[in-house]
Amino acid sequence: LVTLNASANILAQNGTSYKTSMDNIMLTDGGNSVNLGKMFGDDSLNISLDGSNYLKEGAKFVVNVSAQNLGSDVIGVNLSASGNSQDPNGWIGSPFNGNTLNYILDGSNNANEDIRFSNYYINSRSGEVTEGTITLSTGALFKSTASGGQLDTSNETPLATFKAGYVGKIADSNTQLRDIDKFWSSEGKYLLDQPQELTLTQGDGTQARVMIYGNDTVNDLVKKLNTAVAVGLGQAKYVDDANKFVTFTEGAKTGAESVAGTLVIRSALTGSKGEISISGNEDLLNALSLNTIRESKESTYNVDVLDAHDGSVIAQNVNITGNRLVGVVHKNVDVEFDSMMGLQAAWSEANGNYSITSTTGNSGTDIVLHLADNTMIFQTGAGEGEDVILSLGDMSSDALGLNGVNVMSREKAAKSIDLIDKAIDRVSMQQAKLGAAQNRLEHHLGNLTDETEALIGANSRIRDTDYASELLEYTKMQILMQANTAMLAQSNQIQTNTILSILR
């Protein structure tokens, strides 16, 4: 007992093409036959099993079927191709399994058309059954000119031409994406019937977008992706040739371009900042067959930190990986420098990549960093040193490292979780510092409020005491002045009376 699954590519006489299939066809050796008519719409093919000893699990075979009846308005097109055992593409004879295929089309409806359909064939070396693609381009003279559908060859203008794709055939830069089998789904739908957008995300969070259209060629795709990396992601400023970020290999070379028919996307930035992830329609990404062939690698640096004012050594021979200097200059200061600082990227035709070299050699690169203290000091008391000091760190997404969050792959998502956790910790620490400062300020505010009330009360009492004293003094002075006036009056009176008495 053998179970078969059958798939068929059908080109109708009206020029339309479609696929159909039948699953779980049960056959016994020398026994029953199964009609495959429902796949074709008629009783054109029956299948039976004779000689199961030649079949193994997973075996495949191909049957070529073509219509035989030609009407007065129907044209038969013979498609064939030649080859030999020396062909590097690995097939002997015709890529159509050595048989001439007769495709029958209605000549009255298919002039000036591009008819695309598929064909199965067996690779005579490997025995593998694969699906080839055929594009039949008909001319204006593609029509019936004689009874029986005979072709009129008196005119030199081609009636129809075709291009056939087969396993091992390598697309060139002028090949349209629609002629590459991977851009067609298993149901025969072209993935770029509607324009599709791809988003390129760099490790530092920079993004660029590329729009791909159905009539684009491989060369169009290369140019768009190259522009996205060079301009959109800003890598052109680091290289001497900004046209090599994306290349298409038409002939076997070396390095990343060792496989013909390969689209190679490069990044000139070192480390995780230069990693490029591509997102978009899942089927389109599968068609592009994107794979990482070289992992990013962080640069290592040896850092000396000196005080620019007096030349004293703050830190010496500090080895870091990546372009972030954390807590070395100052415990509250992190320094991030350009990952391409002191480096240059030059295109190497021999190696097929950008070679990263130092522009300063062993002398290194000097950076002058001016630190500005943004600490806030709140005076909370009357004396020196009675204050609250508060410093606010940079809580932007860039400073927290969140621009590097990338979830395009499981590995990148795992690293992003660590970045987010660290960012949360830093924000929590800053919140704790703000909360502590707020509590201290509120405590001082309460003390100052109590002191203010006490001073107001004391001031009131002092003011009341001064008023009573002054009133007492005023009254005293009034009494003294009145006594003095009375005494003077009496004195004057006494003197006058005495003098008059003497005169008398």
Side-chain angles (χ1 to χ4, degrees), residues 12-217:
Q13 290 187 1
N14 62 4
T16 61
S17 60
Y18 60 94
K19 294 186 179 183
T20 185
S21 63
M22 288 181 64
D23 297 331
N24 298 321
I25 303 171
M26 310 294 291
L27 299 175
T28 57
D29 191 1
N32 64 310
S33 64
V34 174
N35 181 263
L36 304 182
K38 72 176 184 177
M39 298 179 66
F40 302 98
D42 56 29
D43 297 333
S44 58
L45 180 64
N46 289 290
I47 186 171
S48 61
L49 183 62
D50 185 11
S52 59
N53 292 334
Y54 296 99
L55 294 178
K56 296 181 180 179
E57 183 176 356
K60 299 178 181 179
F61 58 92
V62 169
V63 177
N64 286 319
V65 181
S66 60
Q68 299 298 319
N69 297 324
L70 300 179
S72 59
D73 216 13
V74 175
I75 295 178
V77 181
N78 295 328
L79 305 182
S80 63
S82 61
N84 55 69
S85 59
Q86 303 300 320
D87 194 299
N89 295 315
W91 48 265
I92 302 175
S94 170
F96 310 110
N97 199 30
N99 297 321
T100 296
L101 304 185
N102 301 304
Y103 289 98
I104 312 303
L105 298 172
D106 184 349
S108 61
N109 295 321
N110 292 294
N112 288 324
E113 295 286 343
D114 285 340
I115 302 170
R116 188 186 187 282
F117 55 101
S118 301
N119 178 70
Y120 296 115
Y121 74 95
I122 296 180
N123 187 293
S124 57
R125 284 188 173 179
S126 64
E128 293 182 355
V129 175
T130 53
E131 186 177 348
T133 58
I134 297 174
T135 300
L136 178 67
S137 300
T138 61
L141 299 180
F142 188 80
K143 58 186 179 180
S144 177
T145 57
S147 177
Q150 300 298 315
L151 299 180
D152 181 2
T153 59
S154 59
N155 194 307
E156 294 182 357
T157 303
L159 300 180
T161 60
F162 78 94
K163 298 177 181 178
Y166 48 87
V167 168
K169 180 180 179 181
I170 305 300
D172 57 37
S173 58
N174 294 320
T175 301
Q176 284 194 341
L177 299 182
R178 67 171 56 253
D179 293 327
I180 300 177
D181 185 62
K182 283 183 173 292
F183 287 90
W184 292 78
S185 69
S186 57
E187 293 79 21
K189 181 180 178 180
Y190 183 41
L191 300 180
L192 296 174
D193 276 339
Q194 298 295 327
Q196 298 288 344
E197 184 180 72
L198 294 178
T199 301
L200 281 69
T201 304
Q202 200 165 251
D204 59 1
T206 307
Q207 288 189 333
R209 289 175 172 80
V210 173
M211 188 66 71
I212 304 177
Y213 297 92
N215 60 348
D216 281 346
T217 64

Side-chain angles (χ1 to χ4, degrees), residues 199-238:
T199 301
L200 281 69
T201 304
Q202 200 165 251
D204 59 1
T206 307
Q207 288 189 333
R209 289 175 172 80
V210 173
M211 188 66 71
I212 304 177
Y213 297 92
N215 60 348
D216 281 346
T217 64
V218 173
N219 192 45
D220 294 331
L221 178 60
V222 168
K223 289 182 178 179
K224 290 179 180 181
L225 291 175
N226 191 85
T227 301
V229 177
V231 181
L233 301 183
Q235 293 197 22
K237 60 184 177 182
Y238 299 113

